[in-house]
CSV table of all heavy atoms in Angstrom, one decimal:
chain,number,residue,atom,x,y,z
A,361,SER,N,115.1,54.0,104.0
A,361,SER,CA,114.0,54.0,103.0
A,361,SER,C,112.7,54.4,103.6
A,361,SER,O,112.5,54.4,104.8
A,361,SER,CB,113.9,52.7,102.3
A,361,SER,OG,113.0,51.9,103.0
A,362,SER,N,111.7,54.8,102.8
A,362,SER,CA,110.5,55.2,103.3
A,362,SER,C,109.6,54.1,103.8
A,362,SER,O,108.9,54.2,104.7
A,362,SER,CB,109.7,56.0,102.2
A,362,SER,OG,109.5,55.2,101.1
A,363,SER,N,109.7,52.9,103.2
A,363,SER,CA,109.0,51.8,103.7
A,363,SER,C,109.9,50.9,104.5
A,363,SER,O,110.5,51.2,105.4
A,363,SER,CB,108.4,51.0,102.6
A,363,SER,OG,109.1,51.0,101.5
A,364,ALA,N,110.3,49.8,104.3
A,364,ALA,CA,111.2,49.1,105.2
A,364,ALA,C,112.1,48.3,104.3
A,364,ALA,O,112.9,48.6,103.8
A,364,ALA,CB,110.6,48.3,106.2
A,365,GLN,N,112.4,47.3,103.9
A,365,GLN,CA,113.1,46.8,102.8
A,365,GLN,C,112.6,45.4,102.6
A,365,GLN,O,112.1,44.8,103.4
A,365,GLN,CB,114.6,46.8,102.9
A,365,GLN,CG,115.0,48.2,102.7
A,365,GLN,CD,116.4,48.4,103.1
A,365,GLN,OE1,117.3,48.7,102.4
A,365,GLN,NE2,116.7,48.1,104.3
A,366,SER,N,112.9,44.8,101.4
A,366,SER,CA,112.1,43.7,101.2
A,366,SER,C,112.6,42.5,100.5
A,366,SER,O,113.7,42.5,100.0
A,366,SER,CB,110.9,44.2,100.3
A,366,SER,OG,110.9,43.6,99.1
A,367,GLY,N,111.8,41.5,100.3
A,367,GLY,CA,112.2,40.3,99.6
A,367,GLY,C,111.2,40.0,98.6
A,367,GLY,O,110.1,40.4,98.6
A,368,GLY,N,111.4,39.2,97.6
A,368,GLY,CA,110.5,39.0,96.4
A,368,GLY,C,109.3,38.3,96.7
A,368,GLY,O,108.5,38.5,97.6
A,369,SER,N,108.9,37.3,95.9
A,369,SER,CA,107.7,36.5,96.0
A,369,SER,C,107.8,35.6,97.2
A,369,SER,O,108.8,35.6,97.9
A,369,SER,CB,107.5,35.6,94.8
A,369,SER,OG,108.5,34.6,94.7
A,370,THR,N,106.8,34.8,97.5
A,370,THR,CA,106.8,34.0,98.7
A,370,THR,C,107.6,32.7,98.4
A,370,THR,O,107.6,31.9,99.3
A,370,THR,CB,105.4,33.7,99.1
A,370,THR,OG1,104.7,33.1,98.0
A,370,THR,CG2,104.7,34.9,99.6
A,371,SER,N,108.1,32.5,97.3
A,371,SER,CA,108.9,31.4,97.0
A,371,SER,C,110.3,31.6,97.6
A,371,SER,O,110.7,32.7,97.9
A,371,SER,CB,109.1,31.2,95.5
A,371,SER,OG,109.8,32.2,94.9
A,372,PRO,N,111.2,30.5,97.7
A,372,PRO,CA,112.5,30.7,98.3
A,372,PRO,C,113.3,31.7,97.6
A,372,PRO,O,114.2,32.4,98.1
A,372,PRO,CB,113.1,29.3,98.2
A,372,PRO,CG,111.9,28.4,98.2
A,372,PRO,CD,110.9,29.1,97.5
A,373,GLN,N,113.1,31.9,96.2
A,373,GLN,CA,113.9,32.8,95.5
A,373,GLN,C,113.1,34.1,95.3
A,373,GLN,O,112.1,34.2,94.7
A,373,GLN,CB,114.2,32.3,94.1
A,373,GLN,CG,115.0,31.0,94.2
A,373,GLN,CD,115.1,30.4,92.8
A,373,GLN,OE1,114.5,30.8,91.9
A,373,GLN,NE2,116.0,29.4,92.7
A,374,GLY,N,113.6,35.2,95.9
A,374,GLY,CA,113.0,36.5,95.7
A,374,GLY,C,111.7,36.5,96.4
A,374,GLY,O,110.6,36.3,95.8
A,375,SER,N,111.6,36.8,97.7
A,375,SER,CA,110.4,36.7,98.5
A,375,SER,C,109.6,37.9,98.6
A,375,SER,O,110.1,39.0,98.4
A,375,SER,CB,110.8,36.2,99.8
A,375,SER,OG,111.8,36.9,100.3
A,376,SER,N,108.4,37.9,99.1
A,376,SER,CA,107.6,39.0,99.4
A,376,SER,C,108.0,39.6,100.7
A,376,SER,O,108.8,38.9,101.4
A,376,SER,CB,106.1,38.7,99.4
A,376,SER,OG,105.8,37.9,100.5
A,377,SER,N,107.5,40.7,101.2
A,377,SER,CA,108.1,41.3,102.4
A,377,SER,C,107.1,42.1,103.1
A,377,SER,O,106.1,42.5,102.7
A,377,SER,CB,109.3,42.1,102.0
A,377,SER,OG,108.9,43.0,101.1
A,378,SER,N,107.5,42.4,104.4
A,378,SER,CA,106.7,43.3,105.2
A,378,SER,C,107.5,43.8,106.3
A,378,SER,O,108.5,43.2,106.7
A,378,SER,CB,105.4,42.6,105.8
A,378,SER,OG,105.8,41.9,106.9
A,379,ALA,N,107.2,45.0,106.8
A,379,ALA,CA,107.9,45.6,107.9
A,379,ALA,C,107.5,44.9,109.2
A,379,ALA,O,106.5,44.3,109.3
A,379,ALA,CB,107.7,47.1,108.0
A,380,GLY,N,108.4,45.0,110.2
A,380,GLY,CA,108.1,44.4,111.5
A,380,GLY,C,109.3,44.0,112.2
A,380,GLY,O,110.4,44.3,111.8
A,381,ALA,N,109.2,43.3,113.3
A,381,ALA,CA,110.3,42.9,114.1
A,381,ALA,C,111.0,41.7,113.5
A,381,ALA,O,110.4,40.9,112.8
A,381,ALA,CB,109.9,42.6,115.6
A,382,ALA,N,112.3,41.5,113.8
A,382,ALA,CA,113.0,40.3,113.3
A,382,ALA,C,112.3,39.1,113.9
A,382,ALA,O,111.9,39.0,115.1
A,382,ALA,CB,114.4,40.3,113.7
A,383,THR,N,112.2,38.0,113.1
A,383,THR,CA,111.5,36.8,113.6
A,383,THR,C,112.5,35.9,114.3
A,383,THR,O,112.1,35.0,115.0
A,383,THR,CB,110.9,36.0,112.4
A,383,THR,OG1,112.0,35.6,111.5
A,383,THR,CG2,110.0,36.9,111.6
A,384,GLY,N,113.8,36.1,114.1
A,384,GLY,CA,114.8,35.1,114.6
A,384,GLY,C,115.0,33.9,113.7
A,384,GLY,O,115.8,33.1,114.0
A,385,LYS,N,114.2,33.8,112.7
A,385,LYS,CA,114.3,32.6,111.8
A,385,LYS,C,115.0,33.1,110.5
A,385,LYS,O,114.6,34.0,109.9
A,385,LYS,CB,112.9,32.1,111.5
A,385,LYS,CG,112.2,31.6,112.7
A,385,LYS,CD,110.8,31.0,112.4
A,385,LYS,CE,110.1,30.5,113.6
A,385,LYS,NZ,108.7,30.0,113.2
A,386,PRO,N,116.0,32.4,110.0
A,386,PRO,CA,116.7,32.7,108.8
A,386,PRO,C,115.7,32.7,107.6
A,386,PRO,O,114.7,31.9,107.6
A,386,PRO,CB,117.7,31.6,108.6
A,386,PRO,CG,117.9,31.1,110.0
A,386,PRO,CD,116.6,31.2,110.7
A,387,ARG,N,115.9,33.6,106.6
A,387,ARG,CA,115.1,33.6,105.5
A,387,ARG,C,115.8,33.2,104.2
A,387,ARG,O,117.1,33.1,104.2
A,387,ARG,CB,114.6,35.1,105.3
A,387,ARG,CG,113.7,35.6,106.4
A,387,ARG,CD,112.4,34.8,106.4
A,387,ARG,NE,111.5,35.3,107.5
A,387,ARG,CZ,110.3,34.8,107.7
A,387,ARG,NH1,109.8,33.9,106.9
A,387,ARG,NH2,109.5,35.3,108.7
A,388,THR,N,115.1,32.9,103.2
A,388,THR,CA,115.7,32.2,102.0
A,388,THR,C,115.6,33.0,100.7
A,388,THR,O,116.0,32.5,99.7
A,388,THR,CB,115.1,30.8,101.8
A,388,THR,OG1,113.7,31.0,101.6
A,388,THR,CG2,115.4,29.9,103.0
């Protein structure tokens, strides 16, 4: 993809997103 891929709002369901390195922490 042209940007990177993402998650929704900042809530556990459907989070917001940004490109970068893996944090090593599971996401929800």
Side-chain angles (χ1 to χ4, degrees):
S361 93
S362 59
S363 37
Q365 284 169 121
S366 122
S369 68
T370 54
S371 65
Q373 302 173 342
S375 47
S376 70
S377 53
S378 80
T383 64
K385 298 179 180 178
R387 296 294 182 177
T388 57

